[in-house]
Amino acid sequence: IDYTGTEPSSPCNKCLNVSWDGTPPCTCTINFTLEHSFESNVFMYYGLSNFYQNHRRYVKSRDDSQLNGDNSSLLNPSKECEPYRTNEDKPIAPCGAIANSMFNDTLKLYRIDNDTRIPITLIKKGIAWWTDKNVKFRNPTGDGNNLTALFQGTTKPVNWPKPVYMLDLEPDNNGFINEDFIVWMRTAALPTFRKLYRLIERKNNLQPTLQAGKYSLDIAYNYPVHSFDGRKRMILSTISWMGGKNPFLGIAYITVGSICFFLGVVLLIIHHKYGNRNTSADIPN
């Protein structure tokens, strides 16, 4: 479901030129229909297009020691984070361009049954890699578990509406170990990508996770993409016994295999045409 809002008829067109810190956020609702039921667990993604997370300077613009909870790096971030290292003479936590551009739209899904909107439970934990959640990302340490005190002396990234210790109300999903933040910090290799946003778990084996029918998507539109001709979309995906549907590897294998086969034929022709020539240095009589 594309909700960028570039089309005048789109419900999100009014939010097209939203700013990072718009208060209150612009909201819009998009209705859609699922033609087929989703039987297994459902994965909800947000997708971005024309967003180059693979730019060399962008990828380097982070401080892994700071993200791992090192107290000295918290107050003295790496110079790789410039120009998002400090703001108003205070160190930024988390620093760098990757963190500063974190996706911050809020998506809510509803099923429409007889004109009644029934909210779909979206699970926000378990979306990040285990190694990222438990090894690479740690909150600063100190007396007590009060993140407000632990992040004292730092300031929020320039484009964030609130500091890192207010990303979530649950202590095990707040600060640097917030899973939405962790997912964003794992940069994408291509300019068109998707990142896992929420999980929808199957409740029982008698009913599908998402029934075929009408649904609506409520969007708190905070993330501006129109300035660089980007696109935003919400993706619902499920898995079968063979895994998820992703044609990239299949296309890549077929392409590389076809190139190898073509080169093999060319080299075979060259070998048969020129390989039997007399390469002896003897001068014939």
Side-chain angles (χ1 to χ4, degrees):
I1 305 298
D2 190 304
Y3 68 93
T4 310
T6 52
E7 298 80 9
S9 59
S10 171
C12 294
N13 180 259
K14 60 182 180 181
C15 305
L16 190 59
N17 296 312
V18 69
S19 61
W20 287 91
D21 55 353
T23 305
C26 184
T27 59
C28 56
T29 300
I30 292 183
N31 297 317
F32 63 96
T33 301
L34 287 183
E35 301 294 340
H36 305 283
S37 298
F38 283 28
E39 301 291 341
S40 185
N41 292 337
V42 177
F43 302 88
M44 185 178 187
Y45 299 85
Y46 60 85
L48 295 175
S49 298
N50 203 33
F51 192 111
Y52 288 82
Q53 275 199 314
N54 55 7
H55 190 283
R56 181 182 61 85
R57 290 186 63 188
Y58 181 90
V59 172
K60 292 176 61 180
S61 186
R62 60 189 293 164
D63 187 344
D64 287 317
S65 295
Q66 186 192 58
L67 297 173
N68 195 241
D70 183 74
N71 289 3
S72 60
S73 297
L74 180 68
L75 299 176
N76 186 25
S78 169
K79 293 182 180 179
E80 297 286 359
C81 289
E82 294 288 0
Y84 302 106
R85 181 172 177 264
T86 60
N87 186 28
E88 298 179 352
D89 297 328
K90 286 185 176 182
I92 294 176
C95 71
I98 307 176
N100 186 65
S101 60
M102 178 180 167
F103 182 84
N104 64 341
D105 281 357
T106 301
L107 308 176
K108 294 181 180 180
L109 188 63
Y110 297 86
R111 182 169 65 89
I112 301 176
D113 186 9
N114 296 326
D115 295 330
T116 302
R117 300 209 316 164
I118 303 172
I120 304 296
T121 302
L122 304 177
I123 300 173
K124 59 186 176 183
K125 293 183 181 180
I127 61 175
W129 290 19
W130 186 92
T131 50
D132 287 352
K133 175 76 173 180
N134 296 279
V135 179
K136 292 183 64 176
F137 290 80
R138 311 301 302 165
N139 280 324
T141 56
D143 295 334
N145 295 319
N146 187 350
L147 289 184
T148 304
L150 293 174
F151 282 98
Q152 188 174 6
T154 66
T155 186
K156 66 179 181 65
V158 177
N159 287 339
W160 285 26
K162 53 189 176 182
V164 67
Y165 52 83
M166 294 178 63
L167 290 179
D168 201 293
L169 298 176
E170 301 182 30
D172 62 343
N173 194 43
N174 200 9
F176 290 158
I177 60 173
N178 176 265
E179 297 203 26
D180 286 326
F181 172 67
I182 294 174
V183 168
W184 177 257
M185 292 300 291
R186 182 168 286 275
T187 53
L190 300 174
T192 298
F193 58 87
R194 65 175 66 177
K195 291 180 182 286
L196 187 57
Y197 180 70
R198 293 291 183 264
L199 301 173
I200 306 174
E201 290 187 345
R202 187 172 187 177
K203 296 181 179 179
N204 56 64
N205 295 327
L206 300 178
Q207 293 183 345
T209 308
L210 292 180
Q211 302 176 14
K214 296 182 178 179
Y215 290 82
S216 66
L217 178 69
D218 282 5
I219 304 151
Y221 199 113
N222 300 306
Y223 201 72
V225 296
H226 184 57
S227 60
F228 56 88
D229 295 327
R231 308 286 299 185
K232 298 193 294 186
R233 61 197 186 282
M234 184 277 297
I235 302 135
L236 295 175
S237 177
T238 187
I239 57 175
S240 66
W241 63 273
M242 294 183 63
K245 182 181 179 181
N246 190 341
F248 175 78
L249 281 179
I251 295 173
Y253 288 152
I254 292 174
T255 302
V256 174
S258 301
I259 293 173
C260 292
F261 177 78
F262 174 75
L263 291 177
V265 172
V266 171
L267 293 175
L268 181 64
I269 294 173
I270 293 174
H271 175 72
H272 277 281
K273 188 173 183 179
Y274 302 104
N276 294 327
R277 285 188 171 184
N278 187 4
T279 57
S280 176
D282 296 336
I283 300 175
N285 294 329

